[in-house]
């Protein structure tokens, strides 16, 4: 290179000598590249389990998404609430009591809607994973959660079934509030939440389809809401009402 003046060829020859003489350079370059890549991904909200996940990513044929906060913005708003006995403000006060102190997106939506209302104090609050929450207010035990929770409590939607179906058809998440007193359960009302899909979600799904990668959505939300979001984004398969511990098997 010094003789001919071809510096590019000289550098290439020098690098070749270094790689051959010091193969550990290759052993260091790969983990360094993976470390930098996972760091960049983390700054964009993408968490990668380990290096092996990256190594086999090229063989992926199907991608499964969660819904809330992944395909949607994760900032739901309370759009409607209907009490079985017509006392809608009381329904909202009770729901706010059960959500007090929670950081769940649906809880924040309820608390925002109930600001200014005098919510009664709840005690013995307990989370029901994948189903909802329960707490005692006065002499009664209250349950706020999914349709699955109401089915387990044998609480029928009654006259609110039609309203719930309409909300689900519009892609809304429906939660139910029930009361247990003296061993008997009664429906108090329903709450309907809306959460917009992320602006980037449809483009991401389309890019996966362009690479012949199938898409699926696994969510604990009701089927109507899940299918509405799935159709809007072009998701291939939708599995609704899946408990957190069952998502890996699903």
């Amino acid at each position: 290179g010094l003789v001919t003046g071809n510096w590019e060829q000289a550098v290439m020859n020098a690098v070749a000598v270094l790689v051959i003489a010091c193969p550990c350079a290759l052993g260091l370059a790969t983990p360094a590249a993976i470390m930098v890549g996972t760091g960049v991904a983390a700054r964009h909200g993408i968490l990668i389990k380990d290096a092996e996940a990256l190594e086999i990513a090229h063989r992926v044929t199907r991608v499964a998404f969660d819904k809330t906060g992944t395909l949607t913005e994760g900032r739901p708003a309370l759009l409607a609430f209907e009490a079985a006995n017509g006392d809608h403000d009381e329904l909202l006060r009770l729901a706010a009591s059960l959500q007090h102190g929670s950081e769940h997106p649906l809880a924040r939506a309820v608390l925002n809607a109930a600001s200014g209302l005098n919510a009664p104090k709840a005690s013995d609050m307990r989370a029901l994973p994948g189903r909802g929450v329960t707490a005692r207010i006065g002499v009664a035990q209250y349950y706020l959660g999914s349709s699955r929770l109401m089915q387990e409590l044998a609480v029928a939607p009654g006259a609110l079934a039609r309203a719930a179906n309409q909300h689900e058809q519009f892609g809304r998440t429906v939660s139910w509030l029930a009361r247990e007193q003296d061993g008997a359960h009664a429906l108090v009302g329903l709450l309907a939440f809306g959460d917009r899909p992320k602006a980037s979600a449809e483009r991401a799904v389309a890019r996966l389809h362009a690479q012949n990668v199938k898409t699926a959505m696994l969510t604990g939300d009701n089927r109507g809401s899940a299918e509405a979001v799935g159709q809007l984004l072009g998701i291939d398969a939708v599995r609704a009402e899946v408990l957190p511990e069952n998502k890996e098997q699903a």
Side-chain angles (χ1 to χ4, degrees):
L2 292 175
V3 176
T4 64
N6 189 341
W7 288 98
E8 182 178 348
Q9 185 62 41
V11 171
M12 290 293 294
N13 291 339
V15 170
V17 171
L18 285 174
V19 170
I20 294 171
C22 307
C24 58
L26 292 176
L28 292 174
T30 300
I34 290 175
M35 181 178 67
V36 172
T38 53
V40 172
R43 288 197 292 273
H44 287 80
I46 302 171
L47 301 181
I48 300 170
K49 183 178 180 181
D50 52 32
E52 184 182 3
L54 287 176
E55 292 171 1
I56 65 175
H58 69 282
R59 300 205 305 267
V60 169
T61 59
R62 181 180 295 269
V63 174
F65 295 95
D66 189 25
K67 183 174 77 68
T68 304
T70 302
L71 294 175
T72 66
E73 292 181 348
R75 295 192 297 270
L78 181 62
L79 302 181
F81 49 99
E82 303 181 42
N85 64 358
D87 193 344
H88 307 304
D89 284 347
E90 179 66 8
L91 165 64
L92 189 55
R93 279 192 289 267
L94 292 169
S97 297
L98 267 71
Q99 300 286 26
H100 182 71
S102 173
E103 291 299 320
H104 192 281
L106 297 185
R108 290 197 296 269
V110 170
L111 295 173
N112 289 338
S115 61
L117 293 179
N118 186 20
K121 185 177 181 179
S123 60
D124 301 327
M125 195 173 298
R126 181 164 51 92
L128 306 171
R131 295 168 173 83
V133 295
T134 181
R136 179 165 290 275
I137 302 175
V139 297
Q141 188 76 19
Y142 286 85
Y143 299 84
L144 177 63
S146 64
S147 298
R148 177 189 290 271
L149 176 60
M150 294 300 107
Q151 292 168 4
E152 293 176 355
L153 296 172
V155 175
L160 293 180
R162 181 177 179 183
N165 288 335
Q166 290 177 337
H167 287 304
E168 291 179 3
Q169 288 173 6
F170 284 110
R172 297 171 182 170
T173 298
V174 175
S175 291
W176 302 87
L177 180 64
R179 177 179 57 249
E180 179 186 1
Q181 188 170 352
D182 299 327
H185 292 86
L187 181 67
V188 179
L190 67 79
L191 303 96
F193 304 86
D195 188 14
R196 294 182 300 180
K198 289 181 178 178
S200 59
E202 187 174 2
R203 295 196 303 271
V205 172
R207 289 181 66 179
L208 287 172
H209 288 165
Q211 298 176 42
N212 296 318
V213 176
K214 297 291 185 180
T215 56
M217 182 172 68
L218 311 178
T219 177
D221 205 350
N222 62 73
R223 176 159 297 281
S225 174
E227 290 183 346
V229 173
Q231 291 175 4
L232 182 64
L233 299 179
I235 301 291
D236 296 312
V238 173
R239 294 287 302 275
E241 300 180 10
V242 181
L243 294 175
E245 62 267 25
N246 295 336
K247 285 186 177 179
E248 184 175 355
Q249 288 77 20

